[in-house]
Amino acid sequence: MATKQKILIVDDDENIAELISLYLAKECFDTKIASDGEEALELYRQYQPNLILLDLMLPGIDGYQVCREIRAKDSVPIIMLSAKGEVFDKVLGLELGADDYIMKPFDSKEMVARVKAVLRRYQPIKTESKASGDQKVVSYNELEVNLTNYSVVCQGHPVEMPPKELELLYFLASSPNQVFTREQLLDHIWGYEYIGDTRTVDVHVKRLREKLGDEHTNWALTTVWGIGYKFEVKEG
């Protein structure tokens, strides 16, 4: 019998948390609920969830800080929940390392679909087999991106990054000098079930640049103004 995937629900509204738990239980997920930031961090350590649904407005330690502390040590998928709909809140959540952002009130089917979509994207890390001979690796001067074991080495040093960032980098680097629109990247990396805006791509590219640096001899993550991005490879 397959082990149920574990979802940690963090929300100080007991009714909302119980409702989310009910919907996920119907989809055969195992759930636990935390009502504040401190409890969330403690349950995260004990429960070791496969995904966290994290409300932003929590008593004590807020959702932003919870996300920041978890991201400092783990790449477990995080979907933020909030009644706030401003662009600033979405971008800040994504910059802190969230994989998705759902605004309240939300449709139960959409919430479940997003949970499943994020878990599918994260699954290769959990199921990757070292015995497989089908390696998915792209290499350039001072850079190696390995999608088989989800690792990145830049200038001889391993670079930690969440699954979405790595998948975006691998996708762009696999098609050097090809320009992709933000919409194309959303579709390829996040999938058709992702209901977001193109700022999601901008935030992830910004984080990649911060982690990889700007000074490289023959490649760069380049913005094509008015269109999107490309992994530019310079000849010679």
Side-chain angles (χ1 to χ4, degrees), residues 6 43-51 76:
K6 299 181 289 186
L43 269 178
Y44 152 73
R45 288 187 285 266
Q46 296 176 2
Y47 186 49
Q48 296 187 332
N50 298 100
L51 181 143
V76 59

Side-chain angles (χ1 to χ4, degrees), residues 5 50-51 75-79 99-100 112-128 136 147-150 161-172 184-194 204:
Q5 290 184 297
N50 298 100
L51 181 143
S75 59
V76 59
I78 297 174
I79 299 178
D99 295 271
D100 201 352
V112 171
R114 290 199 184 198
V115 166
K116 289 181 176 179
V118 170
L119 283 171
R120 274 200 302 273
R121 302 306 301 177
Y122 188 75
Q123 197 65 26
I125 297 178
K126 300 297 183 183
T127 61
E128 174 263 325
K136 293 183 178 179
L147 194 63
T148 302
N149 62 16
Y150 274 65
M161 58 181 64
K164 283 292 189 300
E165 290 178 26
L166 192 148
E167 290 165 10
L168 177 60
L169 178 61
Y170 179 85
F171 181 78
L172 288 168
Q184 286 175 322
L185 293 171
L186 271 176
D187 181 60
H188 280 286
I189 307 304
W190 282 264
Y192 70 92
E193 289 177 325
Y194 182 80
H204 281 71

Side-chain angles (χ1 to χ4, degrees), residues 133-180:
D134 185 17
Q135 297 286 314
K136 293 183 178 179
V137 182
V138 289
S139 298
Y140 295 93
N141 183 36
E142 301 181 332
L143 178 69
E144 179 179 282
V145 186
N146 189 322
L147 194 63
T148 302
N149 62 16
Y150 274 65
S151 65
V152 176
V153 177
C154 184
Q155 296 179 324
H157 300 287
V159 181
E160 296 294 328
M161 58 181 64
K164 283 292 189 300
E165 290 178 26
L166 192 148
E167 290 165 10
L168 177 60
L169 178 61
Y170 179 85
F171 181 78
L172 288 168
S174 296
S175 301
N177 297 321
Q178 182 174 342
V179 179
F180 294 96

Side-chain angles (χ1 to χ4, degrees), residues 8-183:
L8 175 58
I9 302 162
V10 186
D11 200 310
D12 63 333
D13 188 317
E14 183 179 350
N15 292 329
I16 291 178
E18 292 289 350
L19 194 60
I20 293 173
S21 179
L22 178 64
Y23 288 131
L24 291 174
K26 287 181 178 178
E27 298 294 327
C28 296
F29 290 106
D30 184 72
T31 65
K32 285 193 182 297
I33 296 171
S35 58
D36 59 53
E38 289 186 5
E39 185 182 9
L41 291 171
E42 183 60 30
L43 269 178
Y44 152 73
R45 288 187 285 266
Q46 296 176 2
Y47 186 49
Q48 296 187 332
N50 298 100
L51 181 143
I52 300 171
L53 284 165
L54 177 62
D55 187 39
L56 290 180
M57 299 295 103
L58 298 170
I61 304 173
D62 65 18
Y64 292 119
Q65 184 61 29
V66 172
C67 182
R68 188 179 290 110
E69 292 193 25
I70 291 175
R71 270 294 167 265
K73 62 189 76 172
D74 198 349
S75 59
V76 59
I78 297 174
I79 299 178
M80 286 190 165
L81 306 173
S82 178
K84 292 188 173 184
E86 291 82 0
V87 169
F88 172 79
D89 297 298
K90 290 183 181 180
V91 171
L92 179 57
L94 292 168
E95 285 185 335
L96 289 174
D99 295 271
D100 201 352
Y101 190 107
I102 303 177
M103 287 184 291
K104 299 177 182 178
F106 50 80
D107 178 79
S108 60
K109 291 182 180 179
E110 178 190 341
M111 183 271 295
V112 171
R114 290 199 184 198
V115 166
K116 289 181 176 179
V118 170
L119 283 171
R120 274 200 302 273
R121 302 306 301 177
Y122 188 75
Q123 197 65 26
I125 297 178
K126 300 297 183 183
T127 61
E128 174 263 325
S129 172
K130 292 183 178 179
S132 173
D134 185 17
Q135 297 286 314
K136 293 183 178 179
V137 182
V138 289
S139 298
Y140 295 93
N141 183 36
E142 301 181 332
L143 178 69
E144 179 179 282
V145 186
N146 189 322
L147 194 63
T148 302
N149 62 16
Y150 274 65
S151 65
V152 176
V153 177
C154 184
Q155 296 179 324
H157 300 287
V159 181
E160 296 294 328
M161 58 181 64
K164 283 292 189 300
E165 290 178 26
L166 192 148
E167 290 165 10
L168 177 60
L169 178 61
Y170 179 85
F171 181 78
L172 288 168
S174 296
S175 301
N177 297 321
Q178 182 174 342
V179 179
F180 294 96
T181 67
R182 292 169 175 83
E183 290 79 9

